Amino acid sequence: PSCRRYVAGGRCKSTARLEGKVVIITGANTGIGKETARDLAQRGKVIIACRDIAKGEAAASEIRAETGNQQIIVKKLDLADTKSIREFAEKFLAEEKELHILINNAGVMLCPYAKTADGFEMHLGVNHLGHFLLTFLLLERLKQSAPARIVNVSSLAHHGGRIRFHDLHGEKSYNRGLAYCHSKLANVLFTRELARRLQGKFQRQAGFTANALHPGSVYSELVRHSFVMTWLWKIFSFFLKTPCEGAQTSIYCAVAEELDSVTGQYFSDCQPAYVSPRGRDDETAKKLWSVSCELLGIQWD
């Protein structure tokens, strides 16, 4: 029915091949990430980076069987632990000479208050800081492999977010719904500042881009921490995208030829979408960048 078609939203129509190219997708053992991996596996080599190796291997063997592509590799990556992120990057850089597409897809949503191994609030730590560090560690390899793309999975929820520099880790006040929104706004601001820094002569010549996206409201495991949301999701599943439909904009940002030199943008349903005023605030983006570097103990100029 047309209502269902409307819910499904935009589809990525690109048939771009990725022979000889390497893609990393975080959290690709389930949901949107898994469907993104399934599509890109028909085009090139995919590395599934996830916390749960058993689930990752199950997803990978399913995708290998379906696509006939044996180059689907699972690597351990726990975004809630900077030590794990550094180990993942170190191994990857030792084993792979190139990296063309990095899809920062993994995320947590509506968790009860918790901290990562490094003492960061869980949503900010996994959804923003973990991916910030991962991107930093892989940046040179992406540059050497250009044209290259960085794709950050954000959300419409960024409209409800703000960067609370006075209480980044929610120690003074915490609301798990808002914490998710704040982290998704951080994804948009990170993308914006990253794109600004990548621009200039290098980016124009090589086509090195960074874009963010909203996958849509997707029927996935992301709401598992909330009984109410899980229940609502079940009731309204007809009005939610399937993970495959939700993956379309990630795939689009990763492969669409018309995005070769498009950077710093935000997409939904495979087209440019409206970004909240807070998500367009360059001063906040710059400040978030330097605070993130401080928290992670890195220098990224």
Side-chain angles (χ1 to χ4, degrees), residues 50-219:
C50 61
R51 194 180 47 191
D52 187 330
I53 290 288
K55 273 191 186 165
E57 284 298 352
S61 60
E62 186 187 309
I63 292 169
R64 284 186 210 114
E66 201 176 294
T67 61
N69 180 359
Q70 295 310 302
Q71 290 192 297
I72 313 300
I73 297 163
V74 180
K75 297 275 181 217
K76 176 145 176 88
L77 169 67
D78 182 356
L79 287 156
D81 184 352
T82 56
K83 196 163 137 279
S84 168
I85 299 169
R86 288 180 180 279
E87 279 168 11
F88 168 85
E90 212 171 292
K91 281 193 184 127
F92 173 82
L93 295 171
E95 289 165 14
E96 299 287 344
K97 291 296 154 254
E98 292 189 299
L99 174 58
H100 304 88
I101 301 168
L102 170 61
I103 303 180
N104 290 319
N105 161 83
V108 293
M109 180 179 176
L110 304 173
C111 324
Y113 189 75
K115 285 190 166 173
T116 68
D118 303 85
F120 308 139
E121 185 276 314
M122 193 60 75
H123 291 91
L124 188 80
V126 171
N127 299 354
H128 168 60
L129 292 167
H131 282 129
F132 187 93
L133 178 60
L134 180 67
T135 307
F136 167 74
L137 295 170
L138 299 175
L139 196 76
E140 280 311 307
R141 190 55 45 92
L142 282 156
K143 270 188 185 167
Q144 293 158 10
S145 313
R149 298 185 186 191
I150 296 166
V151 178
N152 294 325
V153 179
S154 178
S155 167
L156 185 67
H158 84 270
H159 286 274
R162 50 185 338 152
I163 306 299
R164 302 166 67 246
F165 290 109
H166 65 287
D167 187 24
L168 268 184
H169 303 296
E171 286 158 333
K172 298 191 180 107
S173 74
Y174 180 74
N175 172 303
R176 55 192 185 166
L178 288 175
Y180 178 71
C181 295
H182 302 333
S183 71
K184 293 287 119 181
L185 173 61
N187 294 154
V188 171
L189 291 167
F190 168 46
T191 306
R192 189 177 179 90
E193 180 63 10
L194 178 60
R196 191 186 69 77
R197 287 163 176 261
L198 294 178
Q199 268 175 325
K201 203 168 74 195
F202 172 80
Q203 193 265 334
R204 273 200 299 277
Q205 283 169 343
F208 188 5
T209 63
N211 290 300
L213 67 105
H214 166 55
S217 299
V218 178
Y219 193 66

Side-chain angles (χ1 to χ4, degrees), residues 3-11 240-241 245-246 248 269:
C3 168
R4 188 65 213 124
R5 263 206 308 280
Y6 174 76
V7 170
R11 285 196 82 77
L240 296 171
K241 291 186 179 190
E245 290 160 355
Q248 294 303 311
D269 278 327

